[in-house]
């Protein structure tokens, strides 16, 4: 099993519902966020192109954060999820520094925190909170090893990209273009 | 033109607008660790070479500060942790791929051995010293008997400690400025140079001071060679590494790096040491302080500039 997410940059309107849903669902401390929205503007007026992306931890297959963690607090969970065990984390910040996506932050309680793909929800067969609330239905989540999952089907049909593939991290968040 | 902004208002502390998760603790520790490694390297080297009596400053006198340096360094590391009650988790596992993990274990080995080294040479400072308890007398006898093995162990461990201070940074490919294999040898050489400088300060014999001044000049030469190679590597590499090099080549860290590290911390002390060897009367404390300052600034500037450098996307 390999969990992955696909986000349609042509449907995303940048409403930030995913950000608020994540903060509420995961009790993210005020002033922090596990996911965020980026707007990229390319070109010169009037020939402008805009791409809007909802970003988060990429749950990389070759995660630098797991590699550099000195205690094993950052680890791979079943399904390829990259998670942090708070009671093993010493808060050294190595994983925060190692992430090319800046997807991690130091929780006010001391340990490092990040997107979990809402593991507590997917274990119950539900979708991650951000996927669930998206008003434009631009997010697809599922198992890459299951050819009938939402994410597998959309990746078969559409062109996609990952962020900074040259960093060699093999991200599991895909952007439909 | 390409403009990229976060429109959902992400302002995670220490991440935005750019990474600042590591502050003074890490570069201070890297400096103290490198300096301790440098002193221990020369102390053990001259025992292994059988020249202990000619280089008493290196073998017997200078290492007295090493345990203190390591303790202050470890304290800085501890203060840097944000989840302090769990620090012991570092010693529940060894993760070969994590430089921080094997660095922690190397420190665990070097720190007690540095205490042993100081203890068996304590009579250099306190000639009438006698251990109160029998067990310490027996331990001293044991370590004096096997001093050569102790020196070999410290030679090996101090080299790893010195290299580790650079590899800690270079293992992060997310920060293009740090992601160069030159950083390990550069920080090791800088630590050895700082160690040689401190030995000059502790040495009582002019011949030994001249010897270490020559060693220091050679090490500074190697450092300059490595710095030039590092920039050549960056400029011949990908866009992100060219951007990283530009932090020092016209960017915000240009003046601090070239003035504090290269000119004041390397070239000036090398010239002063050269003049001293040529019998000019220069207080030897001046080049020593300059080398230590340059070594400290090298780590501070790399720690902060590295956190500014990132992938473009």
């Amino acid at each position: 099993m390999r969990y992955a997410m696909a986000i349609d940059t042509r449907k995303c309107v940048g409403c930030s519902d995913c950000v608020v849903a994540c903060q509420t669902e995961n009790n993210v401390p005020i002033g922090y966020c596990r996911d965020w929205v980026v707007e990229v503007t390319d070109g010169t007026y009037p020939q402008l192109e805009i791409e809007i992306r909802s970003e988060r931890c990429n749950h990389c297959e070759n995660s630098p954060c797991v590699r550099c963690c000195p205690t094993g607090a950052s680890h791979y969970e079943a399904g390829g999820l990259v998670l942090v065990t708070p009671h093993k984390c010493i808060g050294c910040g190595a994983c925060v520094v190692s992430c090319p996506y800046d997807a991690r932050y130091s929780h006010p309680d001391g340990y490092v925190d990040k997107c979990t793909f809402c593991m507590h929800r997917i274990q119950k067969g539900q979708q991650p909170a951000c996927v669930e609330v998206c008003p434009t239905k631009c997010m697809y989540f599922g198992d890459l090893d299951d050819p009938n999952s939402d994410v597998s089907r959309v990746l078969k049909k559409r062109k996609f990209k990952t962020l900074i593939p040259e960093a060699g991290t093999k991200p599991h968040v895909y952007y439909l273009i | 033109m390409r403009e990229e902004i976060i429109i959902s208002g992400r302002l995670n502390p220490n991440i935005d607008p750019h990474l600042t998760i590591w502050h003074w603790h890490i570069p201070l520790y890297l400096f103290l660790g490198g300096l301790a490694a440098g002193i221990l390297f020369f102390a053990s080297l001259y025992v292994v070479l059988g020249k202990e009596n000619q280089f008493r400053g290196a073998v017997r006198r200078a290492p007295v500060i090493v345990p203190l340096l390591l303790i202050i360094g470890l304290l800085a590391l501890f203060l840097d942790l944000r989840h302090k009650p769990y620090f012991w988790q570092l010693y529940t596992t060894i993760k070969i791929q994590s430089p921080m993990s094997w660095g922690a274990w190397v420190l665990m080995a070097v720190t007690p051995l540095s205490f042993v080294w100081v203890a068996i040479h304590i009579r250099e400072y306190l000639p009438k010293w006698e251990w109160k308890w029998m067990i310490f007398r027996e331990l001293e006898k044991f370590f004096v008997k096997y001093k050569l093995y102790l020196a070999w162990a410290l030679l090996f461990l101090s080299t790893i400690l010195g290299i580790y201070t650079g590899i800690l940074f270079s293992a992060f490919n997310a920060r293009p400025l740090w992601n160069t294999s030159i950083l390990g040898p550069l920080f090791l050489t800088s630590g050895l140079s700082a160690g040689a400088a401190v030995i000059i300060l502790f040495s009582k014999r002019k011949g030994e001071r001249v010897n270490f001044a020559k060693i220091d000049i050679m090490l500074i030469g190697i450092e300059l060679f490595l710095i030039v190679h590092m920039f050549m590597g960056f400029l011949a590499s990908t866009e992100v590494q060219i951007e990283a090099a530009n932090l020092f080549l016209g960017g915000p860290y240009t003046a601090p790096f070239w003035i504090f590290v290269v000119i004041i911390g390397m070239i000036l002390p090398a010239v002063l040491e050269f003049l001293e060897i040529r019998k000019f009367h220069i207080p030897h404390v001046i080049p020593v302080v300059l080398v230590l300052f340059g070594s400290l600034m090298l780590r501070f500037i790399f720690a902060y500039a590295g956190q500014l450098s990132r992938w473009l996307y």
Side-chain angles (χ1 to χ4, degrees):
Chain A
M1 190 186 280
R2 288 181 300 145
Y3 286 119
M5 191 178 277
I7 298 168
D8 194 339
T9 59
R10 291 177 177 263
K11 274 192 188 171
C12 179
V13 291
C15 67
S16 299
D17 256 14
C18 49
V19 179
V20 178
C22 170
Q23 287 167 328
T24 313
E25 175 69 28
N26 296 296
N27 205 13
V28 177
I30 292 169
Y32 293 77
C33 43
R34 291 183 178 183
D35 58 351
W36 58 97
V37 181
V38 173
E39 182 184 290
V40 186
T41 311
D42 255 321
T44 317
Y45 182 82
Q47 271 89 37
L48 292 173
E49 263 189 30
I50 288 181
E51 179 183 284
I52 301 174
R53 292 192 304 253
S54 171
E55 295 187 5
R56 60 197 37 63
C57 167
N58 285 271
H59 294 270
C60 307
E61 209 170 306
N62 181 25
S63 301
C65 52
V66 172
R67 242 189 354 257
C68 74
C69 176
T71 65
S74 284
H75 64 283
Y76 297 109
E77 198 65 58
L81 298 180
V82 176
L83 299 179
V84 182
T85 312
H87 69 265
K88 273 192 166 183
C89 176
I90 58 173
C92 66
C95 59
V96 177
V97 173
S98 78
C99 177
Y101 310 103
D102 285 343
R104 292 173 164 241
Y105 61 83
S106 185
H107 191 281
D109 288 345
Y111 57 87
V112 167
D113 197 23
K114 62 182 263 306
C115 162
T116 62
F117 270 168
C118 283
M119 192 180 73
H120 59 289
R121 290 176 60 89
I122 59 177
Q123 279 171 343
K124 290 189 236 164
Q126 297 170 325
Q127 299 272 302
C130 54
V131 178
E132 193 77 51
V133 300
C134 179
T136 63
K137 303 289 171 208
C138 77
M139 295 184 192
Y140 306 85
F141 181 79
D143 177 10
L144 283 179
D145 290 336
D146 173 7
N148 293 317
S149 69
D150 290 349
V151 71
S152 296
R153 277 187 295 173
V154 79
L155 289 177
K156 238 180 252 167
K157 277 194 290 189
R158 296 276 303 273
K159 278 189 182 173
F160 59 84
K161 67 174 181 184
T162 55
L163 298 181
I164 328 177
E166 59 272 33
T169 52
K170 299 186 182 164
H172 275 182
V173 175
Y174 299 89
Y175 291 93
L176 306 174
I177 48 177
Chain B
M1 199 196 103
R2 186 182 172 91
E3 185 190 65
E4 191 166 320
I5 50 168
I6 294 173
I7 55 169
S8 60
R10 189 186 80 171
L11 269 176
N12 286 342
N14 297 320
I15 309 294
D16 301 307
H18 67 82
L19 191 71
T20 48
I21 194 91
W22 281 348
H23 301 280
W24 58 270
H25 317 83
I26 298 288
L28 176 69
Y29 157 69
L30 294 180
F31 166 70
L32 295 172
L35 175 58
I39 296 171
L40 287 178
F41 177 85
F42 288 115
S44 48
L45 179 71
Y46 284 109
V47 171
V48 167
L49 294 176
K51 294 182 177 174
E52 186 179 339
N53 290 328
Q54 288 152 268
F55 295 99
R56 293 176 79 91
V59 176
R60 292 164 173 257
R61 298 183 64 81
V64 72
I65 62 164
V66 171
L68 187 66
L69 298 175
L70 290 174
I71 286 171
I72 297 172
L74 283 167
L75 190 66
L77 270 190
F78 178 73
L79 289 176
D80 176 64
L81 300 181
R82 287 161 185 81
H83 217 201
K84 292 182 179 61
Y86 297 85
F87 78 96
W88 53 272
Q89 288 280 359
L90 263 178
Y91 295 106
T92 57
T93 179
I94 299 179
K95 288 191 69 194
I96 299 299
Q97 282 190 309
S98 164
M100 204 176 265
S101 173
W102 54 262
W105 283 101
V106 168
L107 270 173
M108 186 69 142
V110 169
T111 309
L113 289 183
S114 73
F115 274 96
V116 169
W117 193 270
V118 172
I120 62 176
H121 297 115
I122 197 161
R123 286 184 195 84
E124 184 69 21
Y125 287 97
L126 305 165
K128 289 179 184 165
W129 179 266
E130 277 306 326
W131 295 101
K132 233 178 189 178
W133 292 324
M134 191 65 184
I135 182 152
F136 286 128
R137 270 175 260 163
E138 291 299 319
L139 275 173
E140 188 188 18
K141 261 188 222 161
F142 173 81
F143 283 116
V144 168
K145 188 178 171 190
Y146 293 107
K147 189 170 167 180
L148 189 61
Y149 294 106
L150 181 63
W152 272 110
L154 274 175
L155 192 64
F156 176 69
L157 288 170
S158 61
T159 309
I160 295 187
L161 181 62
I163 290 184
Y164 146 75
T165 60
I167 290 182
L168 181 70
F169 280 163
S170 69
F172 296 120
N173 95 330
R175 311 295 150 196
L177 179 71
W178 292 345
N179 193 212
T180 164
S181 53
I182 297 276
L183 230 49
L186 177 62
F187 277 32
L188 171 67
T189 316
S190 167
L192 290 176
S193 165
V198 166
I199 291 169
I200 293 174
L201 204 61
F202 274 86
S203 180
K204 280 179 163 174
R205 198 169 62 82
K206 191 161 186 347
E208 188 178 8
R209 284 204 295 270
V210 169
N211 179 64
F212 275 96
K214 284 179 184 167
I215 289 175
D216 206 24
I217 291 171
M218 187 185 72
L219 289 167
I220 288 171
I222 296 172
E223 277 183 87
L224 292 171
F225 170 81
L226 289 172
I227 286 171
V228 171
H229 265 255
M230 183 177 69
F231 283 111
M232 281 169 67
F234 279 148
L235 294 175
S237 189
T238 55
E239 188 185 350
V240 287
Q241 293 204 303
I242 294 169
E243 284 287 321
N246 283 338
L247 286 169
F248 292 161
L249 302 171
Y253 283 93
T254 309
F257 180 74
W258 295 103
I259 294 174
F260 294 142
V261 177
V262 177
I263 297 175
I264 297 180
M266 292 180 189
I267 296 173
L268 187 59
V271 170
L272 292 176
E273 281 171 345
F274 177 75
L275 293 175
E276 209 184 336
I277 293 167
R278 287 299 170 111
K279 314 261 192 277
F280 281 82
H281 287 293
I282 292 162
H284 55 259
V285 69
I286 296 175
V288 170
V289 168
L290 292 178
V291 165
L292 292 177
F293 173 75
S295 190
L296 180 67
M297 288 306 286
L298 174 74
R299 272 110 177 142
F300 264 87
I301 288 171
F302 261 87
Y304 283 97
Q307 293 183 84
L308 259 189
S309 83
R310 57 171 296 170
W311 288 80
L312 315 164
Y313 71 97

